[in-house]
Amino acid sequence: MMDYLGQLLANGLVLGAVYALTAVAFTLVYGVVRLVNFAFGELFMLGAFLTTSLMLPEVRLAGVIVPMPGFPLPVAALGAIVLTALIGVLVDRIAYRPLRNAPRLAPLITSIAVSVVLQSLAQTLWGAEELRFPEFYLATLPPVVLFDSIYLSVMDLVVMASAVIAMAGLSLFIARSSLGRAMRASAEDQTAALLVGIPVNRVVAAAFAIGSGFAALAGLLYAQTYGFAHSSMGFLPGLKALTAAVLGGIGSIPGAALGGLILGLVEALGSGYLPNGTAWKDAISFVLLVGLLYLRPQGLLGKPELNSAGRGSLLGGASEFAGGWLHTLFGRLDGGLARLAAAGPGAALAFLAIAAVLGALMPSDYWLRILTMVVIYGMLASGLNVIVGFAGLLDLGFVAFWAVGSYLTSILFVLVLKDSFGVAPDDIWWLLYLNLPLAGLLAAGFAVLLGTPTLRLRGDYLAIMTLGFGEIIRVVAINWIGLTNGPMGIRDIPAPDLFGIPLGSPRAQFFFALVLAALVVFAIARIVRSYVGRAWVAIREDEEAAEAMGVPTARYKLYAYAASGFVGGFVGVFYAHYQQYISPLNFSLFENILLLMLVVLGGLGTFLGPFIGALIWIVFLQLALDLPFVQAYPETRFALLGVVLIVLMVFRPQGLAASARVSLIMPGSRAKGAA
């Protein structure tokens, strides 16, 4: 028994070393510029790909065989770290530096867009298949045996030694070098640092270079341990590293090391001792994250002041660099969309009316399906817009509410009534219409339950906790096979039916979606135009000021969670019946990020914006397929749209229809007050 425990602890230390290295990347950059850089997961991946490529005699890039130098691992690793560090500096210069003074959501969205761009480009270059990591002579040596029972490969020892040396060296560098002291000064107060002559932009670039190098080192060690590099390999380890950074206290380098160590040990012990522990280890990590954030929001070694939303609006104004012809172009677009949206929810309803005419005249079933997806994603983005755009709360777990509605109706129709009792779906067509409000209410209750622990959190910490909740739901859906059918998903969900009339044609389903969208827009508009909506907008603009004016912010935040959850569950029911198949893959973090991008693209806090964002995204993805280059490399569609989003965040962080955002003073309110 002790031998088994010792082996698990050794495995946990190796895994924890990898998490700690990437956590240092997150925490170093966050400490200097208060940015959660989601792109570090992709820099982790690039470190693995570059090292593997430099070690091979040749590699296939974009379908072409390219000769490579065939370096030994130490030389290839050093080259990959330097190249990745340069990429990190370039990303900061292009995408992040213009947003130093932008609304705090803009850099977060930009980091997500950079992540999409890097992953899409990596898949275009190296392909969707795994690239095998070349064998290194140290990996062929016999394992080291400790205490006659614990086996560690030589490369496991190299991984741990590399992590210890790298983090110890970084700690000494930060503590004793002039650049390290400049980083600490910039982290404390960038304005004061500028006043005493510290070149803050260079300091930030150095932080990105070091952080990117650490992510690359972690990625190449991970690839060596598991024997492959893959374009999506950085996603989950990146989330785990962010979890480790938050556990230790994001902004604290010793905390990142401690968080990585704890997370690696917890995962190893959970995998070894819990029933089916290997399948549940990801959930264990995120449960640990949520629990610690609830009990100690700043993490084990972090500072309490980091759990702060800061002064000013989540949405704010334009970047200081927003000038030139792009600024003029976005300004004209905003002006036109703002005039269109001057009627508030009426604009969104008019948009749906135009869509109805288009749907009636559209001869192509293919494009009717495309437009139906636009309406569905517009409704889902509208639900997320309630919590992010109107209440100003960074929520990365909205997909959990969407999943509740989809799984409720699918389980009742397929797994319970059809499979268990043999009831034909046509005989219970009315259950779909009962499930719509029922799923909405269930998701709303679930949202309040999940939202309650977040009331103590602010800003980025709030986003990270909701991210944890969303990932827990996804892992549960994958592993609770008896309830959800696991990764296989639920098939043969019946198409909508009305009084025995099948609504399975693309045109009928499109009009069904339009009716639901009109209900969603009308309901959201009624709430937002009420006192509840004004309280949300007050919280969004300045939570401390709202509390000082007597607004019970905790209660109204829960109202926002409930309203957002209701829309997610409501739309989830139709989504399941439209798709006729759901699986946990439908409710991943990427989908939540996509919905957030749609809201930002169209304009946060607007009624029309979510539908504009959905139209741009989905139609662009389809039209891009006609481009010859995209036909050859389909993954570049996402890279192109990621670039568009980065440009939008740099030059128009408020979104295209930002002038139509609901304000504290509603149209006509001043006149009524004067009367």
Side-chain angles (χ1 to χ4, degrees), residues 13-82:
L13 289 173
V14 175
L15 186 60
V18 174
Y19 289 157
L21 284 170
T22 317
V24 166
F26 279 105
T27 206
L28 183 63
V29 170
Y30 190 89
V32 177
V33 291
R34 298 292 187 268
L35 168 66
V36 178
N37 184 15
F38 282 97
F40 275 132
E42 275 52 56
L43 295 173
F44 175 101
M45 172 266 296
L46 286 178
F49 265 126
L50 290 171
T51 304
T52 305
S53 299
L54 291 173
M55 292 178 67
L56 292 170
E58 60 181 26
V59 67
R60 182 181 294 273
L61 297 177
V64 178
I65 300 295
V66 178
M68 300 302 289
F71 290 142
L73 177 58
V75 178
L78 180 60
I81 291 170
V82 171

Side-chain angles (χ1 to χ4, degrees), residues 272-296:
Y273 285 110
L274 292 179
N276 200 22
T278 302
W280 290 99
K281 67 184 179 75
D282 293 338
I284 296 169
S285 302
F286 292 113
V287 168
L288 179 64
L289 170 68
V290 169
L292 183 64
L293 281 176
Y294 180 71
L295 297 173
R296 186 177 172 82

